Amino acid sequence: MVEASPLILIIEDEPQIRRFLQAALTGAGYRPIEAETGKMGLAQAATQPPDAIILDLGLPDMDGLEVARQIRAWSSVPIIVLSARGQEKDKVAALDLGADDYLTKPFGVGELLARIRVALRHAARTEGEDGQAVMVVGDLKVDLAARRVFRADTEVHLTPMEYRLLTTLVKHAGKVLTHAFLLKEVWGPANARETHYLRVFMANLRHKLEADASRPRYLLTEQGVGYRLADE
Amino acid sequence: MVEASPLILIIEDEPQIRRFLQAALTGAGYRPIEAETGKMGLAQAATQPPDAIILDLGLPDMDGLEVARQIRAWSSVPIIVLSARGQEKDKVAALDLGADDYLTKPFGVGELLARIRVALRHAARTEGEDGQAVMVVGDLKVDLAARRVFRADTEVHLTPMEYRLLTTLVKHAGKVLTHAFLLKEVWGPANARETHYLRVFMANLRHKLEADASRPRYLLTEQGVGYRLADE
DNA sequence: GCGGATCTTGATGGTTTCTTGATGCAAACA
DNA sequence: TGTTTGCATCAAGAAACCATCAAGATCCGC
């Protein structure tokens, strides 16, 4: 049985940020629990499985990436990582390990809560009906069984690569997907460094699916990291 | 001038019974093909998918049940099993595996033909989307039970392969069907890579069914993927 | 075996899609 | 504010794919 308010585990060593997160989450109706170190965080996650985890990558006792890896070994709970400026590499590595989203310090309350909402919604959806044949995001519709794509109820023709790229984004709607992940999924592991492919094909998809390709509403760029399909 | 008469595969080791079946089926307007052993039968079914199969359970080289199981692995073609008196257990097992009907030796011609008619009619019905024996798409009409095809209310003659290809598309109208799927359904799993067959036969079908074969309205190409029958 | 219909196979030209490079713009950083 | 890095866009060549025609090969009933 799930309690009414989602349980959120904070793994963060700096007391200041812990207090800030605690206050923000409580105020928004969540139930935060805290852990100061990676080991404590893992113990908490194991004994009291949370609905989402906020994980600081800069922990004193162990690498934040290692924490993420160990959690992913047995759980698919949404993980939002916190990174300091200039920790781009760790951030991307965490997302590649299966983290769902990231926040760069300093960040605002609104941003934090928005990310948590998306993560929780996404988790609920994928737990529910996973083998969906038709996926809908806003006024985009992808019929996986018939292999057809619609925007605002008019069919859009996609090439094979465009279709594969879109379906990978749709299957992980709301989540940040790294360049490497998308390239591996669509073009195969051998092309994991051809980021240029992604640029060209994202541009093509935007022209076919967005009302205004230069101000995308669905196909969002995460600079230095990858892309994300907006969830609503 | 041969209509697309149903192809019936006989898997039977005893020459006497084979000759009897051959004569009875030919006389009734079917096209029988023969296999003496289980292995040969599977090979035949794979390279030249029949519309129904008559399978003797008492084969010398392999268990008739195993033959049925392997055919059911990729096809839902009707299977009528022949069993000797006292083989009740095998008969029931075969029906459990998905065989459609059975005949106990000795049996008469009338009984045999009745079972085949039932099996073919049943296949035509259940394979259609809503149990419809007649499917209509635009001004195309396919009567699965009677094996007749009409375009704008005039009958069109199709060769057996053309008919099989069209019915496969009709049964999944609106869906994109991959080359491999169509080839497996129509030419059998052994020919899953012969995409050239598809090109030739799609061209033939277009000439017979489309108003303008170079601008198809029903039989649509999905480049790099397969083909699709428009559903509206 | 013969003639007709059907299926298979090969060759050719046209079209779509993918890849690649060049260029300008936007965001991050000092 | 200038510099650097990363991103968007466009276009052209290369590659993959498709349509079509036609000539053998095969199968069928007679």
Side-chain angles (χ1 to χ4, degrees):
Chain A
M1 235 354 160
V2 181
E3 295 284 334
S5 61
L7 193 65
I8 304 208
L9 172 58
I10 302 165
I11 309 180
E12 166 65 75
D13 59 313
E14 296 174 55
Q16 258 189 318
I17 301 186
R18 268 212 314 280
R19 277 200 299 278
F20 166 71
L21 290 171
Q22 180 92 32
L25 294 176
T26 308
Y30 300 113
R31 288 181 299 139
I33 53 178
E34 297 186 350
E36 292 179 39
T37 66
K39 281 182 186 167
M40 288 171 64
L42 286 171
Q44 288 267 37
T47 54
Q48 208 178 347
D51 297 298
I53 295 176
I54 298 174
L55 170 65
D56 190 349
L57 287 181
L59 296 172
D61 66 325
M62 61 190 293
D63 189 357
L65 290 178
E66 187 52 30
V67 179
R69 185 179 293 114
Q70 292 196 24
I71 290 171
R72 272 288 169 273
W74 61 274
S75 167
S76 60
V77 58
I79 300 177
I80 299 173
V81 299
L82 304 183
S83 68
R85 248 178 225 296
Q87 282 187 319
E88 297 292 317
K89 262 177 77 176
D90 281 359
K91 194 169 73 183
V92 174
L95 292 169
D96 272 336
L97 278 176
D100 292 68
D101 211 336
Y102 67 92
L103 283 166
T104 306
K105 301 178 193 174
F107 50 84
V109 180
E111 199 176 357
L112 168 72
L113 296 178
R115 300 301 165 93
I116 291 175
R117 274 197 303 274
V118 169
L120 290 175
R121 187 169 55 238
H122 183 242
R125 183 165 55 195
T126 49
E127 264 178 31
E129 302 164 46
D130 206 3
Q132 289 257 356
V134 180
M135 313 205 65
V136 179
V137 178
D139 65 355
L140 289 184
K141 187 168 78 177
V142 182
D143 186 334
L144 295 173
R147 201 192 176 285
R148 299 171 76 177
V149 177
F150 302 83
R151 168 172 170 267
D153 288 325
T154 55
E155 183 160 10
V156 177
H157 172 73
L158 298 186
T159 70
M161 289 301 198
E162 289 168 359
Y163 182 78
R164 289 176 66 175
L165 178 55
L166 179 64
T167 50
T168 23
L169 288 164
V170 163
K171 284 174 189 163
H172 304 277
K175 204 172 145 171
V176 176
L177 303 178
T178 63
H179 297 129
F181 176 83
L182 288 168
L183 286 163
K184 275 184 209 157
E185 289 285 314
V186 178
W187 281 268
N191 300 80
R193 296 172 176 280
E194 305 285 343
T195 51
H196 197 63
Y197 290 179
L198 270 180
R199 301 213 181 94
V200 173
F201 278 81
M202 287 300 297
N204 292 345
L205 275 182
R206 279 173 176 154
H207 276 113
K208 291 186 177 183
L209 299 175
E210 296 278 4
D212 179 359
S214 63
R215 310 178 107 256
R217 186 176 144 209
Y218 297 113
L219 302 162
L220 307 180
T221 301
E222 295 286 335
Q223 183 122 341
V225 180
Y227 293 90
R228 177 211 306 262
L229 183 71
D231 211 358
E232 58 183 21
Chain B
M1 139 112 183
V2 181
E3 269 305 315
S5 61
L7 194 66
I8 305 207
L9 172 60
I10 302 165
I11 308 180
E12 166 66 76
D13 59 312
E14 296 175 55
Q16 259 190 317
I17 301 187
R18 268 214 312 281
R19 276 201 300 277
F20 166 71
L21 291 171
Q22 180 91 34
L25 294 177
T26 307
Y30 299 114
R31 289 182 299 138
I33 52 177
E34 298 186 349
E36 292 180 39
T37 65
K39 280 183 186 166
M40 286 171 64
L42 287 172
Q44 289 268 35
T47 53
Q48 207 178 349
D51 297 298
I53 294 176
I54 298 175
L55 170 66
D56 189 350
L57 288 181
L59 295 172
D61 66 325
M62 62 189 293
D63 189 356
L65 291 178
E66 185 53 30
V67 178
R69 183 179 296 114
Q70 292 196 26
I71 290 171
R72 273 287 171 275
W74 64 272
S75 166
S76 59
V77 59
I79 300 177
I80 299 172
V81 300
L82 304 183
S83 66
R85 248 179 226 299
Q87 282 187 319
E88 297 296 316
K89 259 177 74 179
D90 281 359
K91 196 170 71 185
V92 173
L95 293 172
D96 276 341
L97 278 177
D100 293 70
D101 209 339
Y102 66 90
L103 283 166
T104 306
K105 300 180 197 172
F107 51 85
V109 181
E111 197 177 358
L112 168 71
L113 295 179
R115 299 301 167 89
I116 290 177
R117 275 197 302 274
V118 168
L120 289 176
R121 190 167 55 237
H122 186 242
R125 287 243 177 85
T126 53
E127 281 176 10
E129 262 181 22
D130 308 317
Q132 295 273 344
V134 180
M135 312 206 62
V136 178
V137 179
D139 64 356
L140 285 185
K141 188 167 77 177
V142 181
D143 187 333
L144 294 171
R147 291 189 149 248
R148 300 173 77 182
V149 177
F150 303 83
R151 166 168 172 267
D153 289 325
T154 55
E155 183 160 11
V156 176
H157 170 73
L158 298 186
T159 71
M161 288 303 200
E162 288 168 1
Y163 181 78
R164 296 177 70 94
L165 178 55
L166 178 63
T167 50
T168 312
L169 288 162
V170 163
K171 286 168 194 164
H172 305 276
K175 265 178 78 167
V176 176
L177 304 179
T178 63
H179 300 127
F181 177 82
L182 288 168
L183 287 163
K184 273 184 209 160
E185 288 288 314
V186 179
W187 280 269
N191 300 83
R193 293 174 174 279
E194 304 286 342
T195 52
H196 198 65
Y197 290 179
L198 270 180
R199 301 215 181 93
V200 174
F201 278 80
M202 287 300 298
N204 292 344
L205 277 181
R206 279 173 177 155
H207 276 113
K208 292 185 179 184
L209 300 175
E210 296 278 2
D212 178 0
S214 64
R215 308 179 110 260
R217 188 176 144 208
Y218 299 114
L219 301 163
L220 308 179
T221 301
E222 293 286 336
Q223 182 111 343
V225 182
Y227 292 90
R228 172 161 73 94
L229 182 72
D231 61 350
E232 58 191 26

